[in-house]
């Protein structure tokens, strides 16, 4: 059984293809979404994943990690207490939890998965995601682009149609736009673009900045740097933003050192603050349309995906852009995971999906750095020479021939880049191949460079010098890959981490939320919550399941009274 | 055609220009050639599919063209708003999801915005089409268009962008006003390189042209003087500068090359007569330093002969007259070569009738004839006459070699026959030298030896300039090696030589190695030259130190020694010249990390 996993910046989800349809798998709390958060309980040494971990974000910022997907593919180490974790390892912990949920749900072991990545993830980030899957003990069958997954979830119901549609995927940290076409059971991605630094978090940031301005000097500069306060403000901003989805006005309040700071936001004010972000959403949309050679009017549907598209602000902007309403056909939070499940079904050649083929594209241009001779024989270096153009259908393999520039050149160095700029300095460097060439006049030695971009979005470079028959192959990001023994060591270490027992998850999450509420509130309210927490802890020690369940419900009710139902 | 068939075989249909059929075939095949299982097969299928689609679209486009030939670019120029369906779509969907009043309001307002936008576009067009360019009104109308609320809708945005892109690309003063603001507004210049198509491409090009023009017009720009010279009708001053200032010539050449390459549009602002004059002037072959060296060196050698003969009391001609005669003769031969041989040749090339075989190969025949003539000179002539003969034969030979250099430079070796004809200058003199030596006419064979030397230098020149093809390089190599070998053998075998035959032989070999090396650029050869230079210099010093032998009997041997010394010096000089870039173009240092697409 292959499962589909949406490994998101804020939330993750797991789904599977069964009986001709995709369905989401609930976690131990009964929720369909699991927050991508990891926290370490220092007293017990247990690792918490999911809602419980996210609730600890503002109470134990030094022991909790969230949004680590943003650092995938980098060497950044997150310290949780004494232990250091790479983004891959944190992701692996989340993946492990999702797999456990799936195993409990299915009653059978799960070892294979399709994992989604933002379309704009580069080679390094993709490799890191794949490693995360392997660290979690999964065989990653496929890395699927998120907007493509969302399109699959949507398109699988529209197969008989002959149509084009646009997927507008605004997630927690990334923004992807894809234009797709369905014909004759073929789902073809025509163009895929995006902005990998635009997402729900940026909207939070707008609120945080405005809140900071409103508070002014009332909080001292030293306090502002305090991680606990920062996390509280961030959480409050997130709550406020979600509040604005339903109501026209919301009060963002933060408790700090026995003082409550409040700031009122209206929907109009939020609109004005975010106008810059809304403008930034236009460019990728226009580019996707241009790349696919379409006019906005030719699109049949606009499919909205990603939690951030729930914001009325975003929906309004999209309506204005296209002159019509976006589709409500899929749930923005679940579409990606459901699409991953569809892909898993495709991969497993499920009977219901036999007649469906999906083709995806490479969302960015890949090439090498070269020098050129211009007029007057002057040499210009650092020029980007594309080999695989953006939006080429994958798997794709392209060859370019380059020649030496100087007489008796001894070797040719090929730095590999990803990006759209003519100057390599503005693009992302992926690696480098070097190959020796025999001495000869300038321009006499040809070097063939073949780029193969596979269906998972991983790049392979093959350099060949016909004059000597020499070949060099390079799988990008090799230099940063862990060695095999190190990999298995890390994997063993992760496996040894003490996980919080699954069946106690609910209690743990409730308690963590109560602790956060306690810190957020003041006076009588605080005391009241404290009493309830004490009572609940006391009941927990008695270990009577029925009694515990009852007490937990009561506690959650109390908390809901104070801050509204928890969001997911 | 073979490619054609394979496309349709891949798609498993018969050739078709029906897009739907092609797509259906692709979809059908895709389920068999699955991208997951058979990436290679899929790539082939995809390529076939894309080619087939491309053909189908091209065919459709051609049909459209033949159906409506009058529908030129003007017809679709002014369609900023595509009013047909987008608005309707919004309207129809309104009922389906009429829950959100705010959204419904937005769409209702849309139609009014579009009409307003259309009006503003018309106003802009009217402002542009006024007989006189009124910059302010154009800009105001443009700003109105930019502020249209209808631009918020993507389709209007797209079509307006396209429309303005076309307008800004038009090369006329009124439209030039649009360039800067539209580029800034739509951010065309920030678009990445991989962009397949951008509506602002024409506008960007236009902007670049305008920028270049503006920069060239400002007096501070380094190429400003050249620009003025090209923009105005030819002046006397420019004609003089063209002939006597290589710097100015180079500046004009660079500017023209840059304009041709980067912004051909600027040509419209230049004086066509001036451009034509300059182009013609610049493309004419010209004396380079290396060509001059080719003339000066034979003259110097002649002068040397005169000096040596004078010192030996054998010549009745005073050395000064000999030198002056040599110089004047040399100059005359160069000028004659230039005007009678090179210019006609160049004109022929210009007129496109360059295939005349004899021009390419005739020089070899002429050289052979000359050498034969020299060989047949009757013995018993006075030394003075022989000296003059030597000088004239040498100079004519130099001119011929020069011609050969130019011919070869222009054509290279095109046929096997031509290739054969390049051998005589190397082999004939060798044969004649051997003959003369056997016949025992020392003065004559020394003179021929000098002629040979000239040919050798010509060959070096040839090899240097035409070394782009391996064939020429090989010819020059073989010629030079045989020359050196003969020289060395003669030096060893000849009984007229003084005490140091071995030294002279080594000198010749070193010289030959140096010559050879300078024709090459490969590493071992460079190394040889590096060694040949000091060896040559050392021998030159040694020989100079010993001084010419005054014994009449050993005049020939003295000449040999001095000749060898000269070659050594020559090589030292050319090597040095190479190093400092005197004679030939400076070689660039190898840049390891460089590639050319």
């Amino acid at each position: 059984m292959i499962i589909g996993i949406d490994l998101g910046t804020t939330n993750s989800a797991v789904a599977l293809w069964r009986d001709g349809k995709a369905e989401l798998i609930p976690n131990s709390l009964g929720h369909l979404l699991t927050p991508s958060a990891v926290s370490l309980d220092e007293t017990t040494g247990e690792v918490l994943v999911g809602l419980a971990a996210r609730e600890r974000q503002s109470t134990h910022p030094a022991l909790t990690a969230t949004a680590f997907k943003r650092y995938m593919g980098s060497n950044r180490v997150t310290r949780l207490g004494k232990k250091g974790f790479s983004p891959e390892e944190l992701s692996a912990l989340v993946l492990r939890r999702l797999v456990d949920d799936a195993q409990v749900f299915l009653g059978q072991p799960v070892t294979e998965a399709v994992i989604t990545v933002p379309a704009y993830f580069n080679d390094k980030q993709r490799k890191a995601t794949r490693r995360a899957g392997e660290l979690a003990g999964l065989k990653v069958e496929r890395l699927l682009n998120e907007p493509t997954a969302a399109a699959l979830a949507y398109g699988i119901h529209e197969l008989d149609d002959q149509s084009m549609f646009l997927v507008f995927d605004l997630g927690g940290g990334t923004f992807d736009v894809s234009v797709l076409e369905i014909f004759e059971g073929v789902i073809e991605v025509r163009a895929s673009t995006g902005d990998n630094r635009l997402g729900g978090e940026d909207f939070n940031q707008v609120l945080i900045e405005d809140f900071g301005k409103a508070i002014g000097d009332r909080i001292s500069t030293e306090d502002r740097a305090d991680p606990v306060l920062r996390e509280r403000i961030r959480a409050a901003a997130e709550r406020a933003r979600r509040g604005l989805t339903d109501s026209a006005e919301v009060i963002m309040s933060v408790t700090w050192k026995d003082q409550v700071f409040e700031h009122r936001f209206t929907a109009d004010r939020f609109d004005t603050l975010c106008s810059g972000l809304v403008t930034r959403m236009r460019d990728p949309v226009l580019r996707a349309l241009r790349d696919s050679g379409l006019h906005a009017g030719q699109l049949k549907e606009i499919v909205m995906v990603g939690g951030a598209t729930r914001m009325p602000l975003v929906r309004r902007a999209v309506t204005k852009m296209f002159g019509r309403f976006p589709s409500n056909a899929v749930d923005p939070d679940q579409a990606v995971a459901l699409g991953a499940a569809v892909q898993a079904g495709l991969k497993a050649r499920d009977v219901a999906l036999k007649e469906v083929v999906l083709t995806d594209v490479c969302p960015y241009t890949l090439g090498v750095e070269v020098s050129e001779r211009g007029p007057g024989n002057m040499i210009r270096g650092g020029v980007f020479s594309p080999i695989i153009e953006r939006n080429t259908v994958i798997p794709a393999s392209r060859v370019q021939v380059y020649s030496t520039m100087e007489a008796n050149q001894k070797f040719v160095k090929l730095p590999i880049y990803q990006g759209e700029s003519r100057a390599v300095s503005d693009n992302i460097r992926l690696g480098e191949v070097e190959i020796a060439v025999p001495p000869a006049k300038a321009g006499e030695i040809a070097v063939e460079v073949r780029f193969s971009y596979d269906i998972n979005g991983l790049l392979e470079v093959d350099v060949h010098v016909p004059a000597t028959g020499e070949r060099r192959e390079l799988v990008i990001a090799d230099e940063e890959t862990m060695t095999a023994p190190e990999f298995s060591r890390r994997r063993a270490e992760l496996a040894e981490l003490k996980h919080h027992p699954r069946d106690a998850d609910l209690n743990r999450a409730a308690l963590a939320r109560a602790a956060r509420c306690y810190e957020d509130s003041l006076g009588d309210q605080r005391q009241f919550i404290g009493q309830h927490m004490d009572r609940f802890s006391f009941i927990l020690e008695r270990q009577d399941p029925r009694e515990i369940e009852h007490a937990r419900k009561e506690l959650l009710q109390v908390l809901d009274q104070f801050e509204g139902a928890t969001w997911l | 055609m073979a490619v054609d068939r394979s496309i349709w075989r891949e798609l498993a249909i018969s050739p078709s220009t029906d897009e739907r059929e092609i797509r259906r075939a692709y979809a059908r095949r895709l389920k068999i050639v699955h991208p997951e299982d058979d990436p290679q097969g899929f790539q082939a299928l995809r390529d076939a599919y894309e080619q087939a689609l491309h053909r189908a679209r091209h065919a459709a486009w051609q049909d459209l063209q033949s159906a409506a030939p009058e529908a030129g670019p003007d017809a679709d120029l002014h369609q900023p708003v595509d009013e047909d369906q987008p608005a309707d779509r919004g309207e129809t969907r309104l009922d389906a999801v009429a829950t959100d009043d705010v959204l419904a309001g937005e769409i209702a307002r849309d139609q009014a915005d579009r009409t307003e936008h259309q009006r503003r576009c018309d106003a802009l067009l009217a402002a542009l089409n006024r007989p006189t360019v009124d910059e302010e009104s154009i800009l105001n109308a443009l700003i109105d268009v930019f502020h249209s609320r209808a631009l918020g809708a993507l389709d209007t945005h797209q079509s307006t962008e396209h429309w303005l892109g076309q307008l800004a690309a038009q090369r006329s003063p009124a439209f030039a006003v649009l360039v800067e603001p539209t580029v800034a507004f739509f951010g065309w210049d920030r678009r990445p390189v991989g962009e397949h198509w951008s509506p602002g491409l024409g506008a960007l090009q236009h902007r670049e042209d305008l920028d270049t023009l503006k920069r060239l017009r400002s007096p501070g720009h380094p190429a400003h003087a050249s620009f003025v010279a090209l923009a105005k009708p030819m002046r006397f001053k420019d004609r003089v500068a063209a002939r006597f200032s290589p710097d100015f010539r180079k500046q004009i050449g660079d500017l023209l090359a840059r304009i041709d390459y980067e912004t051909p549009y600027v040509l419209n602002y230049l004086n066509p007569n001036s451009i034509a004059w300059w182009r013609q002037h610049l493309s004419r072959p010209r004396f380079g330093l290396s060509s001059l060296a080719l003339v000066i060196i034979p003259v110097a050698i002649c002068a040397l002969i005169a000096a040596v003969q004078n010192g030996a009391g054998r010549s009745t001609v005073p050395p000064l007259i000999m030198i002056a005669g040599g110089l004047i003769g040399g100059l005359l031969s160069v000028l004659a070569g230039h005007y009678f041989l090179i210019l006609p040749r160049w004109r022929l090339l210009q007129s496109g009738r360059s295939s005349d075989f004899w021009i390419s190969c005739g020089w070899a025949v002429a050289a052979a004839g000359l050498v034969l003539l020299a060989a047949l000179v009757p013995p018993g002539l006075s030394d003075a006459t022989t000296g003059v003969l030597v000088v004239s034969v040498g100079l004519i030979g130099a001119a011929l070699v020069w011609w050969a250099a130019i011919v070869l430079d222009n054509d290279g070796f095109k046929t096997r026959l031509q290739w054969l004809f390049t051998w005589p200058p190397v082999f004939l003199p060798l044969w004649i030298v051997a003959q003369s030596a056997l016949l025992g006419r020392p003065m004559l064979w020394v003179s021929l030896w000098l002629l040979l030397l000239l040919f050798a230098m010509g060959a070096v020149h040839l090899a240097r300039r035409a070394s782009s093809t391996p064939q020429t390089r090989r010819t020059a190599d073989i010629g030079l090696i045989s020359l050196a070998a003969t020289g060395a053998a003669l030096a060893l075998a000849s009984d007229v030589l003084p005490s140091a035959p071995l030294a002279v032989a080594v000198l010749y070999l070193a010289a030959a190695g140096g010559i050879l090396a300078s024709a090459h650029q490969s590493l071992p050869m460079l190394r040889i030259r590096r060694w040949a230079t000091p060896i040559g210099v050392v021998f030159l010093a040694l020989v100079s130190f010993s001084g010419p032998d005054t014994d009449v009997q050993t005049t020939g041997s003295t000449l040999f020694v001095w000749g060898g010394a000269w070659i050594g010096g020559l090589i030292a000089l050319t090597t040095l010249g190479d190093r400092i870039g005197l004679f030939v173009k400076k070689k660039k240092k190898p840049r390891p990390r460089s590639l050319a697409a």
Side-chain angles (χ1 to χ4, degrees):
Chain A
M1 179 59 84
I2 312 176
I3 54 170
I5 298 178
D6 167 15
L7 184 61
T9 311
T10 21
N11 291 315
S12 298
V14 55
L16 86 161
W17 180 264
R18 201 162 65 168
D19 305 330
K21 65 181 177 42
E23 59 181 300
L24 285 167
I25 298 174
N27 63 15
S28 55
L29 311 179
H31 298 156
L32 294 178
L33 299 182
T34 304
S36 307
V38 175
S39 187
L40 196 72
D41 188 332
E42 266 200 328
T43 48
T44 58
E46 283 171 352
V47 174
L48 299 166
V49 176
L51 190 62
R54 199 184 64 191
E55 295 289 13
R56 282 167 63 87
Q57 172 86 57
S58 54
T59 52
H60 302 84
L63 292 172
T64 311
T66 51
F68 33 80
K69 186 179 170 185
R70 287 196 154 187
Y71 307 110
M72 272 307 230
S74 72
N75 292 330
R76 186 189 163 105
V77 174
T78 311
R79 298 216 75 84
L80 300 184
K82 292 190 190 83
K83 283 201 181 73
F85 291 91
S86 68
E88 284 117 282
E89 287 164 343
L90 292 169
S91 301
L93 289 169
V94 175
L95 286 173
R96 191 62 242 167
R97 169 53 54 101
L98 296 173
V99 171
D100 287 346
D101 289 339
Q103 281 174 349
V104 169
F105 182 78
L106 287 168
Q108 65 180 47
V110 171
T111 52
E112 293 159 315
V114 170
I115 302 180
T116 62
V117 288
Y120 246 62
F121 252 23
N122 66 30
D123 204 75
K124 276 183 192 169
Q125 295 167 308
R126 281 168 199 267
K127 288 243 165 65
T129 309
R130 168 164 276 199
R131 272 204 301 282
E134 282 160 8
L135 283 171
L138 280 174
K139 180 162 181 277
V140 182
E141 282 290 339
R142 184 70 186 275
L143 293 175
L144 185 65
N145 289 337
E146 279 164 15
T148 311
L152 264 180
Y154 166 82
I156 211 74
H157 307 296
E158 313 262 331
L159 273 178
D160 305 327
D161 250 18
Q162 181 109 346
S163 65
M164 319 249 203
F165 56 98
L166 183 138
V167 178
F168 188 98
D169 177 359
L170 188 65
T174 54
F175 175 46
D176 285 319
V177 180
S178 285
V179 175
L180 289 102
E181 182 177 12
I182 299 183
F183 63 95
E184 310 282 339
V186 176
I187 304 178
E188 182 176 304
V189 180
R190 289 278 290 263
S192 198
T193 60
D195 182 338
N196 51 2
R197 277 185 288 277
L198 179 63
E201 305 273 336
D202 294 291
F203 289 86
N204 288 348
Q205 199 57 41
V206 164
L207 288 177
I208 290 169
E209 271 162 28
D210 198 55
F211 181 77
K213 264 185 225 147
I215 297 306
D217 298 338
R218 284 194 279 154
I219 295 181
S220 68
T221 330
E222 301 94 76
D223 283 0
R224 273 164 193 264
D226 193 308
V228 177
L229 175 64
R230 279 180 176 214
E231 277 311 324
R232 271 188 206 176
I233 294 179
R234 208 193 59 76
E238 176 88 31
R239 267 201 303 280
R241 178 165 71 84
R242 283 168 195 273
L244 281 168
T245 306
D246 305 317
S247 52
E249 202 180 275
V250 78
I251 294 170
M252 178 170 163
S253 82
V254 172
T255 313
W256 181 248
K257 291 196 175 161
D258 298 342
Q259 250 188 307
V260 182
F261 298 96
E262 286 190 343
H263 185 46
R264 185 186 300 267
F265 285 101
T266 60
D268 285 345
R269 170 115 182 103
F270 188 44
D271 276 13
T272 328
L273 289 173
C274 295
S275 61
L277 294 174
V278 170
T279 323
R280 271 173 68 191
M281 295 192 296
R282 284 176 68 94
D283 266 1
V285 173
L286 274 170
R287 200 205 281 184
L289 286 174
R290 213 166 29 235
D291 278 0
S292 52
L294 289 181
H295 212 262
Q298 284 167 277
L299 295 169
K300 191 188 163 218
E301 283 289 1
I302 317 298
V303 181
M304 305 281 271
V305 186
T309 58
R310 286 188 190 280
M311 282 189 276
L313 164 73
V314 174
R315 296 185 77 79
R316 248 197 318 278
V318 170
T319 308
K320 198 158 165 46
M321 266 192 244
F322 293 95
R324 63 186 126 135
F325 294 116
S327 157
N328 289 327
V330 292
D331 183 307
D333 285 322
Q334 303 175 356
V336 173
L338 289 174
V342 176
Q343 175 62 41
L346 283 172
K347 189 85 200 168
R349 290 296 147 82
D350 193 280
V351 194
L353 293 170
K354 215 169 179 185
E355 289 297 301
V356 182
V357 182
L358 167 78
T359 62
D360 207 341
V361 295
C362 164
Y364 32 71
T365 305
L366 295 161
V368 292
E369 177 186 347
V370 297
S371 298
E372 270 187 350
R373 253 180 227 286
N377 234 8
M378 61 184 184
I379 294 177
R380 233 173 47 152
V383 178
F384 180 60
S385 163
I387 294 181
I388 293 186
E389 293 261 355
R390 177 170 86 229
N391 292 325
T392 304
V393 176
I394 56 172
S397 180
R398 297 272 185 281
V399 188
Q400 277 278 9
V401 180
Y402 299 93
S403 54
T404 50
M405 200 152 193
E406 299 291 343
N408 300 313
Q409 198 165 317
K410 283 181 184 161
F411 57 90
V412 169
K413 219 181 202 176
L414 290 157
I416 293 151
Y417 284 87
Q418 163 203 321
E420 310 301 330
S421 172
R422 175 109 180 104
V424 287
S425 49
D426 298 338
N427 293 336
I428 300 166
R429 187 190 167 97
L430 297 178
E432 186 178 284
V433 199
E434 201 176 290
I435 194 160
V437 291
K441 291 233 125 195
E444 276 183 7
I445 296 295
V447 181
E448 287 177 11
V449 184
R450 175 179 288 279
F451 273 30
S452 306
Y453 194 85
D454 78 1
I455 203 155
N456 289 315
L458 301 175
L459 175 70
E460 214 167 287
V461 180
D462 177 31
V463 185
H464 179 214
V465 182
T468 55
E470 197 176 345
R471 270 182 197 283
R472 275 257 185 303
E473 270 174 42
L474 175 81
V475 180
I476 299 300
D478 267 349
E479 62 245 54
E480 276 155 49
T481 318
M482 285 183 249
T483 52
E486 196 191 348
F487 185 79
S488 42
R489 187 177 61 80
R490 288 305 290 172
R491 192 166 155 180
E493 269 181 35
L494 279 189
E496 272 170 24
L497 281 176
K498 204 157 83 183
H499 283 266
H500 189 73
R502 212 186 117 79
D503 40 354
D505 265 0
L506 283 169
N507 305 332
R508 189 73 211 211
L511 210 53
R513 182 173 167 210
R516 177 177 56 70
C517 275
Y518 179 83
E519 293 193 9
D520 279 358
S521 49
L522 284 176
D524 289 350
Q525 202 183 57
R526 179 177 246 188
Q527 237 173 14
F528 187 63
I529 294 173
Q531 279 169 7
H532 271 271
M533 278 171 72
D534 289 346
R535 218 186 107 206
F536 186 55
S537 313
F538 179 68
I539 290 173
L540 275 179
E541 275 164 26
R542 288 208 298 227
Q543 300 194 334
D544 175 354
R546 279 189 54 197
E547 201 180 351
I548 289 175
E549 196 184 328
H550 185 74
R552 187 178 65 229
K553 275 193 183 140
E554 213 167 290
L555 176 66
L556 289 177
Q557 261 171 13
V558 169
L559 296 177
D560 284 353
Q561 268 173 18
F562 286 126
E563 56 165 22
T566 189
W567 42 267
L568 245 185
Chain B
M1 286 301 114
V3 183
D4 258 15
R5 272 205 300 282
S6 75
I7 293 179
W8 307 116
R9 201 176 325 131
E10 195 66 60
L11 289 169
I13 48 168
S14 52
S16 158
T17 53
D18 180 4
E19 207 177 310
R20 287 191 57 174
E21 195 188 329
I22 294 169
R23 285 157 73 96
R24 207 169 294 143
Y26 168 69
R28 220 170 22 237
R29 289 280 296 147
L30 200 55
K31 277 146 207 165
I32 304 160
V33 187
H34 204 279
E36 304 244 359
D37 314 327
D38 183 5
Q40 255 106 42
F42 168 71
Q43 279 174 46
L45 173 64
R46 182 77 202 177
D47 284 348
Y49 171 60
E50 274 172 13
Q51 277 191 48
L53 266 192
H54 182 75
R55 274 156 206 244
R57 280 177 190 155
H58 185 70
W61 180 78
Q62 271 179 334
D63 288 350
L64 208 71
Q65 290 288 304
S66 54
E70 72 278 6
D74 291 343
D76 61 289
L77 190 63
H78 183 213
Q79 286 180 338
V81 183
D82 201 8
E83 299 100 347
D84 45 4
Q85 17 106 332
D88 304 347
R89 279 199 98 104
E91 227 70 78
T92 49
R93 302 202 61 82
L94 209 59
D95 308 326
V97 206
T99 48
D100 195 330
D101 290 342
V102 188
L103 296 191
E106 294 273 353
I107 291 179
R109 234 180 295 142
D110 224 40
Q111 198 53 47
D113 285 349
R114 278 163 202 263
T115 329
E116 172 64 12
H117 180 64
Q118 178 71 51
R119 196 191 60 70
R120 289 179 182 186
C121 289
D122 288 341
L124 174 61
L125 209 61
L128 284 170
N129 284 336
R130 263 179 224 153
T132 52
V133 180
D134 180 0
E135 230 173 273
E136 206 185 319
S137 69
I138 294 174
L139 281 179
N140 281 336
L142 185 66
I143 288 167
D144 279 349
V145 173
F146 286 164
H147 285 163
S148 287
R149 273 225 305 265
L151 280 188
L154 282 187
D155 50 351
T156 314
H157 186 280
Q158 272 181 306
S159 52
T160 310
E161 182 180 359
H162 189 193
W163 178 63
L164 283 173
Q166 277 182 326
L167 289 187
Q170 287 192 14
R171 306 285 161 86
S172 85
F175 293 88
V177 179
L178 297 178
V179 174
E180 277 301 328
T182 47
V183 168
F185 183 77
F186 292 108
W188 287 324
D189 49 350
R190 295 193 303 271
R191 295 261 163 88
V193 59
E195 205 82 55
H196 298 296
W197 175 82
S198 159
L201 228 53
L204 279 181
Q205 235 149 24
H206 193 181
R207 181 174 83 152
E208 206 140 289
D209 294 344
L210 290 174
D211 272 2
T212 315
L213 201 63
K214 207 160 76 193
R215 280 200 305 272
L216 285 173
R217 276 182 173 155
S218 68
H221 194 270
H224 178 66
S226 324
F227 175 74
V228 171
L230 285 171
K232 290 194 172 141
M234 281 310 290
R235 296 168 298 187
F236 178 69
K237 198 174 99 184
D238 297 334
R239 283 175 206 272
V240 174
R243 289 198 170 77
F244 295 103
S245 166
D247 276 356
F248 189 61
R249 225 169 22 227
K250 192 172 171 308
Q251 270 177 22
I252 297 252
D254 285 354
L255 180 65
L256 270 176
R258 251 183 49 205
I259 289 176
D260 285 342
Y261 186 83
E262 286 167 5
T263 55
Y265 172 61
V266 175
L267 287 178
N268 299 338
Y269 289 83
L270 302 179
N271 185 310
N273 292 332
S274 302
I275 300 177
W277 190 90
W278 274 106
R279 279 198 201 284
Q280 205 246 8
H281 182 79
L282 288 172
S283 61
R284 240 157 52 181
R286 217 154 280 292
F287 296 123
L289 260 180
S290 53
S291 321
L292 268 180
L294 213 69
V295 177
I296 290 166
I297 287 161
V299 173
I301 289 172
C302 291
L304 187 77
I305 293 167
V308 170
Q309 282 186 335
N310 206 29
R314 301 267 305 191
S315 174
T316 50
V317 187
L320 266 179
I321 293 180
M322 195 99 168
I323 291 173
L327 271 176
I328 292 166
L331 263 176
L332 280 178
S333 91
V334 166
L335 286 177
H338 185 68
Y339 279 100
F340 295 110
L341 301 173
I342 294 150
L343 276 188
R345 164 83 199 149
W346 174 69
R347 290 209 179 97
L348 214 69
L349 278 176
Q350 290 288 304
S351 65
R353 288 181 288 117
S354 61
S355 62
D356 297 43
F357 178 71
W358 76 268
I359 291 202
S360 315
C361 304
W363 66 275
V365 182
L370 199 73
V371 169
L372 275 175
L373 186 77
L376 295 177
V377 170
L381 286 178
S382 78
D383 277 343
T385 326
T386 319
V388 172
L389 206 73
V390 167
V391 172
S392 44
V393 167
L395 292 178
I396 297 169
L400 281 170
V401 165
W402 217 50
W403 182 19
I406 302 257
V407 168
L408 209 67
D409 208 21
N410 285 331
D411 288 359
F413 296 99
K414 275 184 186 152
T415 63
R416 185 163 293 203
L417 204 62
Q418 277 173 312
W419 187 71
L420 274 178
F421 268 101
T422 54
W423 287 86
V426 178
F427 275 130
L428 269 181
L430 282 180
W431 177 71
I432 292 161
V433 166
Q435 280 270 312
S436 323
L438 288 174
L439 290 174
R441 277 187 282 184
M443 266 328 282
L444 186 65
W445 74 258
V446 165
S447 72
L448 284 168
W449 179 250
L450 279 173
L451 179 62
L452 190 64
L453 203 73
L454 289 176
F455 274 117
M457 289 193 305
V460 172
H461 190 70
L462 284 187
R464 276 228 183 108
R465 299 188 62 171
S467 57
S468 52
T469 65
Q471 218 172 19
T472 24
R473 235 175 339 186
R474 219 173 303 129
T475 318
D477 289 355
I478 295 169
L480 286 168
I481 290 167
S482 34
L483 174 72
T486 322
L490 278 173
L492 280 172
S494 174
D495 53 342
V496 291
L497 269 185
S499 50
L502 196 69
V504 176
V506 171
L507 183 65
Y508 270 107
L509 282 175
I515 292 173
L516 233 161
S518 54
H520 274 275
Q521 291 191 337
S522 61
L523 272 179
M525 286 302 169
L526 285 175
R527 222 167 279 140
I528 290 178
R529 186 165 68 168
R530 207 171 296 145
W531 283 106
T533 311
I535 291 174
V537 171
V538 166
F539 273 98
L540 183 67
L542 278 178
V543 172
S544 320
F545 188 67
S546 68
D549 197 333
T550 46
D551 190 355
V552 175
Q553 279 186 336
T554 56
T555 304
S557 65
T558 315
L559 275 173
F560 240 123
V561 173
W562 275 99
W566 255 103
I567 302 177
L570 199 72
I571 291 162
L573 267 179
T574 50
T575 313
L576 204 69
D578 259 6
R579 287 258 162 224
I580 61 172
L582 189 63
F583 299 120
V584 284
K585 253 187 271 168
K586 202 169 181 177
K587 283 178 202 75
K588 283 178 194 84
K589 284 192 190 105
R591 282 160 44 102
R593 195 180 121 181
S594 48
L595 277 173

